[in-house]
PDB file of all heavy atoms in Angstrom:
ATOM      1  N   ASN B  45      98.090 113.035  96.996  1.00 98.00           N
ATOM      2  CA  ASN B  45      98.121 114.420  96.793  1.00 98.00           C
ATOM      3  C   ASN B  45      96.829 115.014  97.282  1.00 98.00           C
ATOM      4  O   ASN B  45      95.844 114.198  97.688  1.00 98.00           O
ATOM      5  CB  ASN B  45      98.557 114.695  95.449  1.00 98.00           C
ATOM      6  CG  ASN B  45      97.567 114.198  94.413  1.00 98.00           C
ATOM      7  OD1 ASN B  45      96.340 114.055  94.714  1.00 98.00           O
ATOM      8  ND2 ASN B  45      97.973 113.867  93.266  1.00 98.00           N
ATOM      9  N   THR B  46      96.636 116.352  97.282  1.00 98.00           N
ATOM     10  CA  THR B  46      95.328 116.864  97.726  1.00 98.00           C
ATOM     11  C   THR B  46      94.207 116.528  96.793  1.00 98.00           C
ATOM     12  O   THR B  46      93.111 116.465  97.284  1.00 98.00           O
ATOM     13  CB  THR B  46      95.452 118.469  97.841  1.00 98.00           C
ATOM     14  OG1 THR B  46      96.019 118.963  96.546  1.00 98.00           O
ATOM     15  CG2 THR B  46      96.452 118.841  98.893  1.00 98.00           C
ATOM     16  N   ARG B  47      94.412 116.393  95.482  1.00 98.00           N
ATOM     17  CA  ARG B  47      93.372 115.994  94.576  1.00 98.00           C
ATOM     18  C   ARG B  47      92.683 114.659  94.878  1.00 98.00           C
ATOM     19  O   ARG B  47      91.510 114.544  94.943  1.00 98.00           O
ATOM     20  CB  ARG B  47      93.862 115.954  93.111  1.00 98.00           C
ATOM     21  CG  ARG B  47      92.876 115.876  92.014  1.00 98.00           C
ATOM     22  CD  ARG B  47      93.504 115.666  90.768  1.00 98.00           C
ATOM     23  NE  ARG B  47      94.065 116.797  90.190  1.00 98.00           N
ATOM     24  CZ  ARG B  47      94.806 116.899  89.103  1.00 98.00           C
ATOM     25  NH1 ARG B  47      95.233 115.742  88.498  1.00 98.00           N
ATOM     26  NH2 ARG B  47      95.394 117.960  88.632  1.00 98.00           N
ATOM     27  N   TRP B  48      93.552 113.739  95.273  1.00 98.00           N
ATOM     28  CA  TRP B  48      93.009 112.460  95.680  1.00 98.00           C
ATOM     29  C   TRP B  48      92.552 112.411  97.055  1.00 98.00           C
ATOM     30  O   TRP B  48      91.490 111.617  97.295  1.00 98.00           O
ATOM     31  CB  TRP B  48      94.155 111.357  95.553  1.00 98.00           C
ATOM     32  CG  TRP B  48      94.784 111.239  94.165  1.00 98.00           C
ATOM     33  CD1 TRP B  48      94.187 111.768  93.001  1.00 98.00           C
ATOM     34  CD2 TRP B  48      96.038 110.690  93.860  1.00 98.00           C
ATOM     35  NE1 TRP B  48      95.085 111.511  91.900  1.00 98.00           N
ATOM     36  CE2 TRP B  48      96.093 110.887  92.325  1.00 98.00           C
ATOM     37  CE3 TRP B  48      97.001 110.141  94.468  1.00 98.00           C
ATOM     38  CZ2 TRP B  48      97.304 110.552  91.603  1.00 98.00           C
ATOM     39  CZ3 TRP B  48      98.229 109.745  93.825  1.00 98.00           C
ATOM     40  CH2 TRP B  48      98.297 109.858  92.408  1.00 98.00           C
ATOM     41  N   ALA B  49      93.055 113.247  97.956  1.00 98.00           N
ATOM     42  CA  ALA B  49      92.478 113.357  99.202  1.00 98.00           C
ATOM     43  C   ALA B  49      91.068 113.779  99.309  1.00 98.00           C
ATOM     44  O   ALA B  49      90.325 113.277 100.233  1.00 98.00           O
ATOM     45  CB  ALA B  49      93.396 114.344 100.139  1.00 98.00           C
ATOM     46  N   LEU B  50      90.629 114.576  98.410  1.00 98.00           N
ATOM     47  CA  LEU B  50      89.342 115.028  98.340  1.00 98.00           C
ATOM     48  C   LEU B  50      88.228 113.893  98.240  1.00 98.00           C
ATOM     49  O   LEU B  50      87.128 113.974  98.798  1.00 98.00           O
ATOM     50  CB  LEU B  50      89.094 116.016  97.154  1.00 98.00           C
ATOM     51  CG  LEU B  50      89.850 117.381  97.154  1.00 98.00           C
ATOM     52  CD1 LEU B  50      89.377 118.204  95.894  1.00 98.00           C
ATOM     53  CD2 LEU B  50      89.513 118.039  98.422  1.00 98.00           C
ATOM     54  N   PHE B  51      88.630 112.853  97.637  1.00 97.00           N
ATOM     55  CA  PHE B  51      87.807 111.759  97.490  1.00 97.00           C
ATOM     56  C   PHE B  51      87.532 111.026  98.743  1.00 97.00           C
ATOM     57  O   PHE B  51      86.450 110.244  98.993  1.00 97.00           O
ATOM     58  CB  PHE B  51      88.409 110.659  96.414  1.00 97.00           C
ATOM     59  CG  PHE B  51      88.417 111.117  95.034  1.00 97.00           C
ATOM     60  CD1 PHE B  51      89.484 111.556  94.454  1.00 97.00           C
ATOM     61  CD2 PHE B  51      87.164 110.988  94.409  1.00 97.00           C
ATOM     62  CE1 PHE B  51      89.497 111.931  93.087  1.00 97.00           C
ATOM     63  CE2 PHE B  51      87.206 111.457  92.915  1.00 97.00           C
ATOM     64  CZ  PHE B  51      88.322 111.809  92.308  1.00 97.00           C
ATOM     65  N   LEU B  52      88.286 111.250  99.771  1.00 97.00           N
ATOM     66  CA  LEU B  52      88.208 110.439 100.991  1.00 97.00           C
ATOM     67  C   LEU B  52      87.331 111.233 102.066  1.00 97.00           C
ATOM     68  O   LEU B  52      86.983 110.595 103.053  1.00 97.00           O
ATOM     69  CB  LEU B  52      89.553 110.297 101.715  1.00 97.00           C
ATOM     70  CG  LEU B  52      90.681 109.864 100.788  1.00 97.00           C
ATOM     71  CD1 LEU B  52      92.048 109.633 101.660  1.00 97.00           C
ATOM     72  CD2 LEU B  52      90.401 108.487  99.970  1.00 97.00           C
ATOM     73  N   LEU B  53      87.123 112.609 101.764  1.00 97.00           N
ATOM     74  CA  LEU B  53      86.571 113.356 102.812  1.00 97.00           C
ATOM     75  C   LEU B  53      85.174 112.809 103.486  1.00 97.00           C
ATOM     76  O   LEU B  53      85.122 112.877 104.754  1.00 97.00           O
ATOM     77  CB  LEU B  53      86.412 114.823 102.359  1.00 97.00           C
ATOM     78  CG  LEU B  53      87.724 115.562 102.162  1.00 97.00           C
ATOM     79  CD1 LEU B  53      87.502 116.910 101.543  1.00 97.00           C
ATOM     80  CD2 LEU B  53      88.489 115.729 103.511  1.00 97.00           C
ATOM     81  N   HIS B  54      84.312 112.504 102.556  1.00 95.00           N
ATOM     82  CA  HIS B  54      83.086 112.173 103.105  1.00 95.00           C
ATOM     83  C   HIS B  54      82.978 110.931 103.908  1.00 95.00           C
ATOM     84  O   HIS B  54      82.208 110.712 104.838  1.00 95.00           O
ATOM     85  CB  HIS B  54      82.020 112.094 101.959  1.00 95.00           C
ATOM     86  CG  HIS B  54      81.638 113.381 101.533  1.00 95.00           C
ATOM     87  ND1 HIS B  54      80.547 114.174 102.171  1.00 95.00           N
ATOM     88  CD2 HIS B  54      81.889 114.197 100.508  1.00 95.00           C
ATOM     89  CE1 HIS B  54      80.306 115.323 101.690  1.00 95.00           C
ATOM     90  NE2 HIS B  54      81.223 115.433 100.708  1.00 95.00           N
ATOM     91  N   GLN B  55      83.947 110.028 103.542  1.00 95.00           N
ATOM     92  CA  GLN B  55      84.039 108.714 104.252  1.00 95.00           C
ATOM     93  C   GLN B  55      84.698 108.942 105.640  1.00 95.00           C
ATOM     94  O   GLN B  55      84.484 108.280 106.627  1.00 95.00           O
ATOM     95  CB  GLN B  55      84.520 107.556 103.507  1.00 95.00           C
ATOM     96  CG  GLN B  55      83.480 106.946 102.613  1.00 95.00           C
ATOM     97  CD  GLN B  55      84.029 105.804 101.777  1.00 95.00           C
ATOM     98  OE1 GLN B  55      84.468 105.995 100.653  1.00 95.00           O
ATOM     99  NE2 GLN B  55      84.032 104.653 102.426  1.00 95.00           N
ATOM    100  N   LEU B  56      85.884 109.675 105.559  1.00 96.00           N
ATOM    101  CA  LEU B  56      86.686 109.905 106.790  1.00 96.00           C
ATOM    102  C   LEU B  56      86.087 110.758 107.780  1.00 96.00           C
ATOM    103  O   LEU B  56      86.231 110.686 108.988  1.00 96.00           O
ATOM    104  CB  LEU B  56      88.115 110.442 106.401  1.00 96.00           C
ATOM    105  CG  LEU B  56      89.024 109.521 105.577  1.00 96.00           C
ATOM    106  CD1 LEU B  56      90.394 110.208 105.466  1.00 96.00           C
ATOM    107  CD2 LEU B  56      89.196 108.181 106.350  1.00 96.00           C
ATOM    108  N   PHE B  57      85.437 111.901 107.265  1.00 97.00           N
ATOM    109  CA  PHE B  57      84.779 112.911 108.141  1.00 97.00           C
ATOM    110  C   PHE B  57      83.369 113.208 107.778  1.00 97.00           C
ATOM    111  O   PHE B  57      83.095 114.133 107.104  1.00 97.00           O
ATOM    112  CB  PHE B  57      85.653 114.198 108.009  1.00 97.00           C
ATOM    113  CG  PHE B  57      87.168 114.029 108.385  1.00 97.00           C
ATOM    114  CD1 PHE B  57      88.001 113.969 107.144  1.00 97.00           C
ATOM    115  CD2 PHE B  57      87.555 113.748 109.587  1.00 97.00           C
ATOM    116  CE1 PHE B  57      89.376 113.819 107.452  1.00 97.00           C
ATOM    117  CE2 PHE B  57      88.993 113.642 109.780  1.00 97.00           C
ATOM    118  CZ  PHE B  57      89.846 113.604 108.709  1.00 97.00           C
ATOM    119  N   PRO B  58      82.449 112.145 107.987  1.00 96.00           N
ATOM    120  CA  PRO B  58      81.099 112.318 107.542  1.00 96.00           C
ATOM    121  C   PRO B  58      80.383 113.451 108.250  1.00 96.00           C
ATOM    122  O   PRO B  58      80.708 113.690 109.616  1.00 96.00           O
ATOM    123  CB  PRO B  58      80.478 110.971 107.903  1.00 96.00           C
ATOM    124  CG  PRO B  58      81.370 110.281 108.921  1.00 96.00           C
ATOM    125  CD  PRO B  58      82.682 110.892 108.639  1.00 96.00           C
ATOM    126  N   PHE B  59      79.531 114.199 107.568  1.00 95.00           N
ATOM    127  CA  PHE B  59      78.883 115.271 108.149  1.00 95.00           C
ATOM    128  C   PHE B  59      77.928 114.940 109.392  1.00 95.00           C
ATOM    129  O   PHE B  59      77.659 115.602 110.244  1.00 95.00           O
ATOM    130  CB  PHE B  59      77.975 116.071 107.170  1.00 95.00           C
ATOM    131  CG  PHE B  59      78.801 116.850 106.135  1.00 95.00           C
ATOM    132  CD1 PHE B  59      78.411 116.955 104.686  1.00 95.00           C
ATOM    133  CD2 PHE B  59      80.040 117.485 106.513  1.00 95.00           C
ATOM    134  CE1 PHE B  59      79.182 117.626 103.913  1.00 95.00           C
ATOM    135  CE2 PHE B  59      80.759 118.130 105.624  1.00 95.00           C
ATOM    136  CZ  PHE B  59      80.379 118.307 104.361  1.00 95.00           C
ATOM    137  N   ASP B  60      77.371 113.634 109.288  1.00 93.00           N
ATOM    138  CA  ASP B  60      76.564 113.261 110.282  1.00 93.00           C
ATOM    139  C   ASP B  60      77.121 112.535 111.525  1.00 93.00           C
ATOM    140  O   ASP B  60      76.468 111.915 112.256  1.00 93.00           O
ATOM    141  CB  ASP B  60      75.370 112.332 109.697  1.00 93.00           C
ATOM    142  CG  ASP B  60      75.982 111.061 109.154  1.00 93.00           C
ATOM    143  OD1 ASP B  60      77.197 110.949 109.088  1.00 93.00           O
ATOM    144  OD2 ASP B  60      75.135 110.343 108.624  1.00 93.00           O
ATOM    145  N   SER B  61      78.521 112.701 111.568  1.00 92.00           N
ATOM    146  CA  SER B  61      79.123 112.127 112.755  1.00 92.00           C
ATOM    147  C   SER B  61      78.708 112.732 114.021  1.00 92.00           C
ATOM    148  O   SER B  61      78.573 113.912 114.202  1.00 92.00           O
ATOM    149  CB  SER B  61      80.772 112.243 112.630  1.00 92.00           C
ATOM    150  OG  SER B  61      81.401 111.817 113.784  1.00 92.00           O
TER     151      SER B  61
END
Side-chain angles (χ1 to χ4, degrees):
Chain B
N45 55 32
T46 54
R47 189 186 288 166
W48 303 341
L50 296 182
F51 288 101
L52 316 184
L53 288 175
H54 281 279
Q55 278 183 266
L56 292 186
F57 306 103
F59 288 146
D60 60 356
S61 169

